[in-house]
Amino acid sequence: MTEASKVMPTASRARRDAGKVRWAIVGASQIARSWVAKAIQSVPDAELVAVVSRSADRGRAFADDLGIPVSATSLKSLLAETAIDAVYVSTNNDRHRDDTLEAAAAGLHVLCEKPLGLTLYDAVEMARTCDRAGVVLATNHHMRGAATHRAIRDLVLTGQIGRPLAARVMYCEYLPKELQTWRTKDKTQGGVIYDLTVHNVDVLRFVLADEPVEVMSMKASSLIGENGVEDQVQSIVNFASGLIAYMHEGQVFAHHETALEIHGTEGSIYGRGILDEAPSGRVYVRRGTEMTEIPVEPANLYATTIARFNAAVLHGDRPAATGWDGVASLATALAVRRSAQEGVRVSVPRFEKNPPVPVA
């Protein structure tokens, strides 16, 4: 047993008794810098105490810029000197599995950036390992923290548009130049499917309370994708209820408005400009020719996600998106990838808690 593992459980219990979750960020990423670090710092029962980066210079600069007390080059070295309760894993996609498993082995709760893993095998292993370790694993599907998305979910689940029959979701944006590195060049972990398709899948699962069962997709390297890395994809998705959805994800559209539509037997819901990091957009319900705006109180998506995560750690509540939600969104995204590659309809595997580990 390492010195860190001897110290951590006692210190962690004491802080949870005091109603505070001490956080470390693993991976000094742009999303962590722009959104998540500040969100953690804004939540009353959270304390951001450290950042871990394999680059000492990058980690120190990140910590200095954001007022974080400690920077370290590995989680192991951090735990030897600093007591924490939870980590936000914000490393490159190919690091998510290893960083999550290392944290779980140390008894730490984990909020992992999407995609949860690169394969279903990895994602299921992550979810199962955290379950067995008794730690919370959540997926950073931050759209669940949007007031607009929660309003749409409430409208659907309370029957305000009758039975949902069809949906459309379009998450199309232009990927900033500074992010056009491995995301647009590395076939093993880049591409719009790992970047945005997982989000659209989770948005539909969340607002519909329904599960994808089959997909048919096409993808393209239209503008910024290199080495065969896709920068847009379009899909038709069949859901368990019989609903049919259209999804479009793109990293090449500087002038495209994001949108979410749900069409039912008694009305339609239109969400305009609502897929973003910032709390933005409007929600409307249309019945016949009458369009009514639904009042929505904007809230920081990431702060809501952190608050829900802390409630899971401190009080046993459910995080906004669990590890198994991350498994589900990845399962559909990988079905989209296979469909687009092979030109065939692909069934989506279903995974409940503690399922058999898939072959691939």
Side-chain angles (χ1 to χ4, degrees):
M1 180 180 291
T2 67
E3 189 63 29
S5 61
K6 291 178 181 176
V7 173
M8 281 303 300
T10 301
S12 185
R13 282 197 300 270
R15 277 188 301 281
R16 286 199 289 274
D17 292 342
K20 203 89 164 177
V21 178
R22 287 167 57 94
W23 284 81
I25 291 175
V26 178
S29 69
Q30 185 60 45
I31 193 71
R33 173 182 286 274
S34 299
W35 294 102
V36 179
K38 296 169 186 175
I40 295 171
Q41 291 168 329
S42 74
V43 174
D45 59 4
E47 182 180 2
L48 181 53
V49 299
V51 60
V52 175
S53 174
R54 285 181 288 177
S55 167
D57 290 342
R58 183 181 178 91
R60 278 193 296 269
F62 188 99
D64 290 344
D65 291 346
L66 292 164
I68 301 170
V70 179
S71 65
T73 56
S74 70
L75 185 60
K76 181 178 180 181
S77 65
L78 173 68
L79 293 178
E81 299 181 358
T82 306
I84 60 173
D85 304 301
V87 296
Y88 165 53
V89 173
S90 187
T91 45
N92 288 4
N93 293 343
D94 62 355
R95 291 288 313 169
H96 290 178
R97 172 192 174 273
D98 290 351
D99 291 334
T100 294
L101 296 182
E102 181 183 9
L108 303 176
H109 305 283
V110 182
L111 172 62
C112 184
E113 192 52 64
K114 57 75 200 168
L116 198 61
L118 295 179
T119 68
L120 282 181
Y121 186 98
D122 287 350
V124 169
E125 181 186 15
M126 293 161 68
R128 177 182 285 171
T129 297
C130 288
D131 283 348
R132 290 175 174 170
V135 298
V136 174
L137 173 62
T139 309
N140 192 27
H141 280 311
H142 65 283
M143 299 293 178
R144 293 190 180 209
T148 48
H149 293 233
R150 297 198 303 274
I152 291 172
R153 176 181 165 91
D154 288 345
L155 289 167
V156 171
L157 297 189
T158 57
Q160 299 302 303
I161 61 166
R163 181 166 68 91
L165 302 174
R168 297 201 303 165
V169 58
M170 289 155 282
Y171 195 172
C172 295
E173 61 183 9
Y174 189 80
L175 188 69
K177 287 283 189 182
E178 63 269 20
L179 298 181
Q180 293 179 28
T181 54
W182 58 266
R183 288 177 176 84
T184 58
K185 296 178 174 64
D186 187 345
K187 287 187 70 171
T188 65
Q189 61 175 324
V192 75
I193 294 173
Y194 280 137
D195 192 25
L196 299 182
T197 301
V198 287
H199 274 316
N200 274 353
V201 171
D202 189 71
V203 164
L204 291 174
R205 290 185 66 246
F206 178 65
V207 301
L208 297 170
D210 202 354
E211 294 293 339
V213 296
E214 187 180 41
V215 302
M216 183 70 189
S217 307
M218 295 184 72
K219 65 183 178 73
S221 303
S222 303
L223 187 63
I224 62 174
E226 301 178 23
N227 308 316
V229 175
E230 80 284 347
D231 54 26
Q232 70 162 315
V233 62
Q234 299 187 31
S235 306
I236 301 298
V237 186
N238 290 326
F239 279 75
S241 67
L243 176 143
I244 298 175
Y246 163 80
M247 303 192 310
H248 186 194
E249 300 85 43
Q251 299 167 319
V252 296
F253 301 100
H255 315 287
H256 197 303
E257 182 181 48
T258 65
L260 171 62
E261 302 172 5
I262 313 294
H263 303 283
T265 55
E266 306 297 330
S268 292
I269 300 169
Y270 291 85
R272 295 292 183 232
I274 67 170
L275 286 88
D276 199 354
E277 285 86 3
S280 61
R282 295 185 173 185
V283 177
Y284 303 88
V285 171
R286 178 177 176 136
R287 296 184 179 90
T289 59
E290 182 179 341
M291 188 81 84
T292 303
E293 184 171 0
I294 304 301
V296 174
E297 188 68 33
N300 186 295
L301 286 66
Y302 293 97
T304 301
T305 299
I306 297 300
R308 289 287 303 274
F309 185 95
N310 285 0
V313 172
L314 296 170
H315 310 299
D317 295 349
R318 188 186 189 280
T322 66
W324 291 106
D325 287 319
V327 171
S329 65
L330 180 64
T332 304
L334 291 177
V336 165
R337 168 163 285 180
R338 181 185 163 202
S339 175
Q341 288 173 337
E342 300 179 11
V344 296
R345 295 165 68 148
V346 176
S347 296
V348 179
R350 287 286 302 276
F351 296 106
E352 306 297 339
K353 192 171 182 179
N354 289 329
V357 175
V359 173

